[in-house]
């Protein structure tokens, strides 16, 4: 399960991830970040790690200090997953998210669906694998997946086999093209709204009205 600990300051972005993305083909990388506040239980973290390892998909994973409940400092990647990270993944403590989402190498955003992340994914036309943790994130996830059709929800129970399957679905499966097309259409609508109004409040109201 996800938890909401006391809020803390953001970490300095590791900009080396952008150069790492530069070396990857378009739409080939899964970006994973559950935001700046939420933490997950150790068992969920392990299932996430093994799901990424089993998916066969390149990934950029934000693992910040405090992101696993009950641990201090940056969580340790489970034994056996390090080889997968070295061969096709990159783990950072924080990333310049807007630049990452705008990068052509990103194919899907595994997100907690906070409102800022939701708007950023929409504005960049990036499909979402939704793992909401608390507060408005569950509602945002339902909009992304059921109302706007630009992603899929992982569900309440995080299991490695399900993680691997859904990652492959959004990155390489038949569902990929449909979701990416819908995300591109939504990006166009969002950009038109911003260009017309130049106001983020109007964009938010527009998104909620769709």
């Amino acid at each position: 399960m996800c938890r909401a600990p006391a809020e803390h300051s953001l970490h300095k972005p590791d900009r080396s991830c952008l150069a790492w993305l530069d070396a990857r083909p378009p739409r080939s990388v899964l970006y994973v970040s559950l935001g700046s506040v939420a933490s997950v239980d150790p068992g969920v973290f392990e299932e996430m790690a093994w799901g990424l390892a089993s998916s066969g998909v390149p990934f950029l994973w934000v693992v910040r200090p405090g992101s696993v409940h009950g641990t201090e400092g940056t969580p340790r990647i489970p034994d056996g997953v390090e080889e997968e990270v070295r061969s096709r993944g990159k783990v950072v403590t924080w990333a310049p998210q807007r630049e990452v989402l705008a990068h052509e190498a990103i194919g899907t955003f595994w997100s907690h669906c906070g409102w800022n992340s939701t708007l950023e994914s929409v504005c960049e036309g990036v499909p979402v694998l939704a793992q909401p943790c608390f507060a408005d994130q569950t509602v945002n996830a339902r909009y992304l997946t059921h109302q706007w059709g630009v992603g899929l929800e992982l569900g309440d129970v995080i299991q490695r086999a399900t993680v691997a399957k859904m990652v492959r679905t959004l990155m390489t499966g038949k569902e990929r093209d449909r979701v990416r097309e819908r995300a591109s259409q939504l990006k166009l609508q969002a950009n038109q709204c911003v260009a017309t109004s130049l106001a983020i409040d109007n964009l938010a109201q527009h998104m909620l009205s769709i």
Side-chain angles (χ1 to χ4, degrees), residues 97-111:
Q97 181 161 291
R98 293 182 67 179
E99 292 176 76
V100 167
L101 289 173
H103 200 287
E104 66 175 1
I106 297 300
T108 295
F109 180 16
W110 180 348
S111 173

Side-chain angles (χ1 to χ4, degrees), residues 30-53:
L30 171 73
Y31 171 52
V32 186
S33 177
L34 299 184
S36 60
V37 177
S39 65
V40 298
D41 289 335
V44 171
F45 181 74
E46 185 165 341
E47 293 300 306
M48 291 173 65
W50 281 109
L52 287 170

Side-chain angles (χ1 to χ4, degrees), residues 165-181:
K165 178 181 178 180
M166 297 191 74
V167 166
R168 287 193 295 266
T169 296
L170 283 176
M171 292 294 295
T172 64
K174 294 181 179 179
E175 186 77 359
R176 176 192 62 182
D177 293 339
R178 183 194 67 79
V179 174
R180 287 184 181 176
E181 175 61 26

Side-chain angles (χ1 to χ4, degrees), residues 11 14 98 100 120 139 165 172 192:
H11 299 276
D14 183 345
R98 293 182 67 179
V100 167
E120 289 167 1
V139 175
K165 178 181 178 180
T172 64
Q192 289 173 340

Side-chain angles (χ1 to χ4, degrees), residues 176-189:
R176 176 192 62 182
D177 293 339
R178 183 194 67 79
V179 174
R180 287 184 181 176
E181 175 61 26
R182 180 60 188 142
S184 295
Q185 293 172 358
L186 197 57
K187 174 185 177 179
L188 180 60
Q189 293 178 27

Side-chain angles (χ1 to χ4, degrees), residues 115-116 119 123 193-194 197-207:
W115 186 238
N116 286 340
L119 287 181
C123 288
C193 182
V194 170
S197 67
L198 299 179
I200 196 65
D201 288 343
N202 286 348
L203 171 60
Q205 291 299 320
H206 173 70
M207 296 304 305

Side-chain angles (χ1 to χ4, degrees), residues 59-78:
F59 59 89
L60 170 61
W61 189 9
V62 174
V63 181
R64 58 169 174 76
S67 58
V68 175
H69 182 69
T71 64
E72 296 183 0
T74 303
R76 185 174 180 271
I77 301 299

